[in-house]
Amino acid sequence: MKNTKDNACPMQKNEGELLLSYCAGSLAAERVAEVERHVGVCPECRSWVEGQQTVWQALEAWEVEPVSADFEAALFARIAREEKAAGWQRWREAWRRLLPGGLDWRVAAPAGAIALLLVVGLAVENPFRREQAEAMVKLEAREIEKAERALEDLEMLRQLEPLEEETRL
Amino acid sequence: MAVATFEHDAELMLRVREGDAQSFALLLAKHRGPVIHFLYRMIQNQAVAEELAQEVFLRVYRSRASYEPTAKFTTWLFRIASHVALNHIRDGKQERNQESLDQATDEGLGRQVASSAPTVEQRMLREVRLAEIRRTIELLPAKQRAAVLMHKYQEMGYAQIAVALECSESAVKSLLFRAYETLRAKLAHMAGRG
Amino acid sequence: MRAGRLWLAVVGLILAAAGLWAQPPERAERPHPLEKLRRLAPEERERVLQNMPPERRQMIEERLERWERMAPRRKKRLEGSLTNFQQMKPEQQQALRKLAKRFQETMPEDKRMEGRRALTMLRRLAPEARRRVLNGPRMRDRFNEQERELLREMAENMPD
């Protein structure tokens, strides 16, 4: 029978805190004996405890999936994107503070074009080297985990194959 | 032990505040599992849980400048995680239920394959049982569900859960009492089925 | 006004020239991360791996080396298996990883090679034939019930 708060055994007062702590294994050692003595003689509390232990065991059986291997890499990539956006925003605000009235376009346009030319010139100075550096940076983050996972999976698949080469070793 | 952990996590977070990315990576490595598992049990969809966990850790990172170690780090972390989960449930319940249903089928399949139980019957029984547990938890009101999950799987005390759910300790006791009462009634038939 | 148009034309010309100049070299198809790691020069690989915990790094290096030493025919076959494996749903991949782990942990060492041979044979069979073979006297002699169940699950879930 289901207990209501009014007719329940006094041991179940305060939202069953004592019995719940007992079932959760978080009750102080000196009180465990007290609860166990009571549960031994009180059918109502015994039934409560048994019910709670059933719930506890059921919840323990609920396994979870492993976390995706690229979780951290994806998070760091998001943080990097945010930081980049925030940096750009700070830069724009700094310029706005520096030139509150704006800049005459006749000066800004050629200055911008020259700056762009310089940046492009530096960037394409050695396109191969740049690509290589990019590949390395990417490899360090997300792809290194993918490569590692691929190696692990290859190892697993290798270990499941019976092969001439291996039997000869 | 708890005090040492508290100090260590808070110390790491203070280092993050000073711009130490390595400390953030350490905190992430330590807490991503519990956070994702909490969110997964709240939402019951692994992909969504990981997406929400990204949001949680992003918020942790964004809050680094204003971080003050006034509470245990995990309490603060689960406060953010609960907030994100409860908002998600409030905003997208219909969609979530559909995804959750789809995934339950997929997971059932996956686990059936991966199960270590020796016979087909035992495996099937286990699947049915797990599906029932998941469904029962899903039917709990979101706040009760969050309280139970933090109490059971994170072993958080009433005071910590109260901070995480932004309510009083007596409200937490009441949430847990009602949630466990429902669970005892719905899962009673599982008694003795180890 | 005329000066303005002149500036615009100059800027346009400069940008067009820069665009042509900066045209990136033709990109090859994106290689797989494993292939990228393999292709890195030794000093680059060293740089990529240097911050890893030593055991993790050693594991990667050993596996890469084993992979590189593998006979081309076998390498090709395993590459095919890996591609098929990677096309499976994540939960199926995870299930197979767990099964493989169980195989390594629970199959006695002296039976493992035989188990692998049985697996190759079982994978080629249709489900009904597979069940018949698994319940046949030869398999019953060699493997106990749990081992046969494990082999069945693996045969069903392994990629082609």
Side-chain angles (χ1 to χ4, degrees):
Chain A
M1 201 170 90
K2 200 164 90 176
N3 286 321
T4 65
K5 283 195 211 179
D6 299 328
N7 66 7
C9 166
M11 186 63 104
Q12 290 173 37
K13 69 172 192 250
N14 202 8
E15 313 287 20
E17 189 180 352
L18 197 61
L19 291 179
L20 191 56
S21 301
Y22 169 73
C23 293
S26 58
L27 197 61
E30 62 271 19
R31 302 216 64 184
V32 169
E34 179 197 338
V35 172
E36 280 176 351
R37 264 197 312 278
H38 174 79
V39 168
V41 294
C42 175
E44 200 183 313
C45 287
R46 189 162 53 246
S47 155
W48 196 103
V49 165
E50 282 167 3
Q52 187 61 27
Q53 281 169 344
T54 301
V55 169
W56 219 245
Q57 279 160 11
L59 294 181
E60 261 157 30
W62 188 5
E63 290 165 5
V64 284
E65 296 292 304
V67 177
S68 301
D70 60 358
F71 178 82
E72 287 183 15
L75 178 67
F76 285 131
R78 274 179 81 171
I79 288 176
R81 276 200 300 278
E82 272 206 7
E83 300 261 277
K84 203 172 160 189
W88 176 242
Q89 186 68 23
R90 275 198 300 273
W91 189 80
R92 272 173 50 178
E93 270 162 23
W95 271 105
R96 205 168 290 151
R97 272 198 302 276
L98 201 68
L99 301 161
L103 194 63
D104 189 332
W105 69 270
R106 279 167 297 186
V107 180
I114 291 165
L116 189 70
L117 201 62
L118 279 172
V119 168
V120 171
L122 286 173
V124 297
E125 185 192 17
N126 186 345
F128 176 72
R129 198 176 180 78
R130 187 168 46 114
E131 287 237 320
Q132 205 179 29
E134 272 175 12
M136 280 176 65
V137 170
K138 279 179 203 153
L139 202 61
E140 275 170 347
R142 205 179 172 118
E143 293 188 334
I144 188 78
E145 282 189 27
K146 279 192 184 167
E148 200 177 353
R149 182 29 77 94
L151 279 170
E152 246 172 61
D153 291 334
L154 268 175
E155 183 66 12
M156 173 193 78
L157 294 166
R158 186 188 71 79
Q159 285 181 354
L160 296 176
E161 279 199 326
L163 284 144
E164 316 78 51
E165 297 94 312
E166 200 161 80
T167 44
R168 276 206 300 267
L169 282 175
Chain B
M1 185 69 183
V3 174
T5 308
F6 163 45
E7 285 171 349
H8 186 54
D9 284 349
E11 199 181 297
L12 286 173
M13 194 57 207
L14 288 172
R15 279 193 222 147
V16 176
R17 193 175 71 179
E18 304 306 317
D20 179 8
Q22 191 64 32
S23 295
F24 182 72
L26 286 173
L27 281 172
L28 180 63
K30 182 175 170 194
H31 296 287
R32 65 174 191 168
V35 167
I36 293 173
H37 297 159
F38 167 74
L39 291 166
Y40 167 70
R41 288 181 169 117
M42 280 297 286
I43 311 293
Q44 303 206 13
N45 179 313
Q46 182 72 13
V48 175
E50 290 197 10
E51 192 54 41
L52 294 182
Q54 295 249 330
E55 183 59 36
V56 170
F57 285 106
L58 212 52
R59 286 191 192 191
V60 167
Y61 190 76
R62 280 182 203 142
S63 321
R64 67 195 184 282
S66 57
Y67 175 76
E68 289 297 335
T70 47
K72 197 173 168 180
F73 176 78
T74 42
T75 309
W76 180 64
L77 181 63
F78 275 87
R79 182 178 181 156
I80 300 175
S82 307
H83 197 72
V84 166
L86 294 174
N87 277 353
H88 175 82
I89 292 169
R90 193 197 56 212
D91 298 342
K93 200 158 190 165
Q94 201 58 42
E95 190 189 357
R96 179 184 60 80
N97 284 344
Q98 188 52 51
E99 285 174 2
S100 161
L101 204 69
D102 292 347
Q103 208 214 6
T105 324
D106 284 351
E107 276 181 2
L109 230 67
R111 289 234 179 80
Q112 192 167 331
V113 163
S115 163
S116 57
T119 69
V120 177
E121 289 90 316
Q122 274 174 317
R123 262 205 332 269
M124 280 171 69
L125 260 175
R126 193 165 154 245
E127 282 314 314
V128 169
R129 198 166 170 236
L130 281 175
E132 195 178 348
I133 295 165
R134 288 201 293 265
R135 209 167 36 246
T136 313
I137 289 283
E138 198 180 12
L139 288 173
L140 290 176
K143 222 166 169 177
Q144 285 187 27
R145 199 186 319 161
V148 165
L149 297 179
M150 283 188 268
H151 182 246
K152 171 69 188 91
Y153 297 105
Q154 314 311 321
E155 299 180 356
M156 285 164 71
Y158 301 124
Q160 279 182 281
I161 300 174
V163 174
L165 292 179
E166 296 172 78
C167 61
S168 66
E169 271 190 55
S170 60
V172 169
K173 284 180 192 172
S174 172
L175 283 172
L176 285 173
F177 178 81
R178 279 180 283 140
Y180 282 128
E181 196 174 40
T182 307
L183 293 174
R184 283 196 301 275
K186 290 197 187 289
L187 301 175
H189 62 282
M190 289 188 181
R193 279 206 232 154
Chain C
M1 202 62 192
R2 262 171 54 191
R5 281 204 203 105
L6 185 67
W7 270 118
L8 276 178
V10 170
V11 170
L13 274 172
I14 293 174
L15 286 177
L20 283 173
W21 189 18
Q23 197 78 32
E26 218 167 281
R27 270 172 195 272
E29 201 182 319
R30 279 172 70 96
H32 186 276
L34 175 59
E35 193 53 22
K36 271 192 187 178
L37 183 62
R38 207 178 62 78
R39 274 192 217 164
L40 288 180
E43 67 276 15
E44 288 163 351
R45 194 185 286 181
E46 170 64 30
R47 208 179 78 77
V48 166
L49 300 178
Q50 70 185 356
N51 293 326
M52 281 190 174
E55 319 83 66
R56 194 173 153 205
R57 180 190 168 146
Q58 194 187 350
M59 182 87 83
I60 292 183
E61 284 175 337
E62 278 173 11
R63 286 175 175 170
L64 263 179
E65 201 193 356
R66 190 179 299 139
W67 178 243
E68 274 157 13
R69 276 195 287 115
M70 209 175 270
R73 216 171 50 158
R74 185 175 188 199
K75 207 181 213 175
K76 203 171 169 202
R77 190 170 53 236
L78 273 172
E79 262 171 355
S81 294
L82 182 68
T83 308
N84 292 342
F85 176 77
Q86 287 175 333
Q87 281 164 0
M88 286 161 65
K89 285 160 81 175
E91 58 269 24
Q92 287 174 319
Q93 291 184 14
Q94 196 51 29
L96 186 57
R97 287 188 193 109
K98 284 185 189 169
L99 286 170
K101 192 163 175 269
R102 231 170 89 199
F103 181 87
Q104 295 299 331
E105 286 170 357
T106 61
M107 187 70 75
E109 211 170 338
D110 57 327
K111 278 192 194 174
R112 254 178 241 161
M113 186 51 75
E114 207 169 353
R116 287 160 71 169
R117 278 196 209 100
L119 202 52
T120 308
M121 179 262 294
L122 289 168
R123 281 166 66 193
R124 294 193 195 113
L125 300 176
E128 185 50 41
R130 192 180 294 148
R131 209 167 13 251
R132 261 202 319 274
V133 170
L134 275 165
N135 290 326
R138 280 180 60 143
M139 291 295 271
R140 278 175 177 277
D141 279 351
R142 289 178 189 151
F143 303 103
N144 65 30
E145 193 188 338
Q146 274 150 16
E147 289 161 354
R148 277 183 283 128
E149 177 62 15
L150 176 61
L151 289 172
R152 186 193 62 74
E153 285 185 33
M154 292 179 84
E156 274 174 15
N157 289 283
M158 275 182 75
D160 295 330

